[in-house]
Amino acid sequence: MPRRRDALVLIAAAACCARAGAQNHAESAACKPVYLTFDTGHMGVAELIADVLRRHHVRVTFFAANEPTQEGDGTLGKFWAPWWRARAAEGHEFASHTIDHDYWRGDLPPAAPGGAARFRIRPSAGPDKGRNLTWTAAQYCEALRLAGDRLASMTQKKPLPLFRAPGGKHSPALLAAAESCGYKHVGWAPAGFLGDELPSEGYPNQALLDKALRDIRPGDILMAHLGIWSRHDPWAPAVLEPLIIGLQQRGFCFRTLREHPDYAPWIAAHGG
């Protein structure tokens, strides 16, 4: 009799677990996905951001360039390598932001009729910081690749074949050049501009939080930074944590760009 009772308990427990698993799957399928992304910055709040993401089981996509930091030798330098490795272990995704945060400033005519596209580029970091450069499509592709290679060497994880142009500035010709070497551009939704690079005086944290919670819609790509030099009242984690909590309470869930329906086919086709 005890054996039969034990067997019945095990059967009941298994049925309960099955129901719970089905419920969790249904809840996951029914959630409203958003895609939180971070571009690099001065890294002064990077550890705090990582703590918030870990605490709320949120995975994000990081777009990285080698930018100056408050401490260490740049966002993709040796000092911050352990931080990037830890994020890879937690299941986050990574993509290129160009190696020296290389801003597109305009298209230029080809050097010869029918020649390759050329661009005016101004890096905001690195040895050519602040200089106006003329780049070919191949040079822009190299800047994308170098950032990805640096990420891969630190994380031992292949970055996604995606990129974000610094400032979100680009042209059809630049996007075509990037796609020709395997990189698809990722912008952000209008409501996904979370405002962390705006001046604190005109855009206090509470106003940014209220706007985001009011306007974000399912499927939106959200964008913030790992620290902004010019903002006196840091956006993270003051806004980040209540934003995550508020969205989760409204039935939203967080996904990486690997799962985004607009990018998943490109990632699959380009070996991400």
Side-chain angles (χ1 to χ4, degrees):
M1 188 68 176
R3 289 182 180 176
R4 183 167 180 266
R5 188 163 52 244
D6 291 345
L8 291 173
V9 169
L10 289 173
I11 292 169
C16 180
C17 289
R19 286 195 301 272
Q23 181 180 359
N24 290 339
H25 178 76
E27 289 174 354
S28 177
C31 81
K32 299 178 289 188
V34 289
Y35 303 86
L36 180 56
T37 68
F38 285 93
D39 295 354
T40 38
H42 62 53
M43 302 297 281
V45 293
E47 290 287 2
L48 297 173
I49 288 172
D51 289 343
V52 171
L53 298 178
R54 186 165 50 248
R55 189 156 55 245
H56 295 283
H57 310 288
V58 169
R59 292 178 179 175
V60 305
T61 305
F62 292 101
F63 290 89
N66 192 32
E67 300 185 66
T69 53
Q70 289 184 347
E71 58 178 336
D73 52 348
T75 48
L76 296 180
K78 290 182 179 180
F79 181 90
W80 285 99
W83 190 88
W84 292 110
R85 281 196 295 273
R87 305 293 76 77
E90 292 165 354
H92 299 287
E93 298 287 352
F94 310 96
S96 179
H97 198 32
T98 72
I99 187 63
D100 289 325
H101 206 247
D102 303 301
Y103 278 94
W104 171 86
R105 304 289 289 181
D107 294 344
L108 295 169
R118 299 191 305 160
F119 311 101
R120 184 179 293 111
I121 302 293
R122 182 184 295 174
S124 67
D128 291 318
K129 177 181 178 180
R131 294 180 57 196
N132 288 322
L133 308 175
T134 297
W135 277 10
T136 64
Q139 286 172 297
Y140 194 82
C141 286
E142 180 71 358
L144 294 173
R145 185 188 64 78
L146 286 172
D149 287 352
R150 192 82 64 89
L151 282 165
S153 68
M154 292 188 297
T155 64
Q156 301 303 303
K157 181 175 183 176
K158 185 177 182 180
L160 300 176
L162 306 175
F163 84 105
R164 176 171 289 152
K169 299 181 183 300
H170 55 74
S171 69
L174 188 80
L175 298 187
E179 290 191 10
S180 73
C181 56
Y183 294 90
K184 193 168 187 66
H185 187 258
V186 179
W188 53 85
F193 177 74
L194 298 176
D196 64 329
E197 57 191 299
L198 297 173
S200 305
E201 296 74 17
Y203 301 88
N205 280 338
Q206 188 61 50
L208 295 178
L209 174 62
D210 293 343
K211 181 179 185 302
L213 289 174
R214 182 186 70 238
D215 295 346
I216 288 171
R217 296 292 181 265
D220 280 355
I221 296 174
L222 318 181
M223 186 274 294
H225 299 79
L226 298 174
I228 291 292
W229 293 96
S230 59
R231 189 169 177 87
H232 300 137
D233 186 13
W235 178 90
V239 177
L240 176 62
E241 189 151 32
L243 176 63
I244 288 174
I245 292 170
L247 289 175
Q248 288 176 333
Q249 289 174 343
R250 288 162 170 77
F252 287 88
C253 54
F254 292 86
R255 299 287 184 259
T256 70
L257 290 175
R258 181 180 293 278
E259 302 165 273
H260 195 291
D262 290 348
Y263 298 107
W266 177 273
I267 293 168
H270 291 81

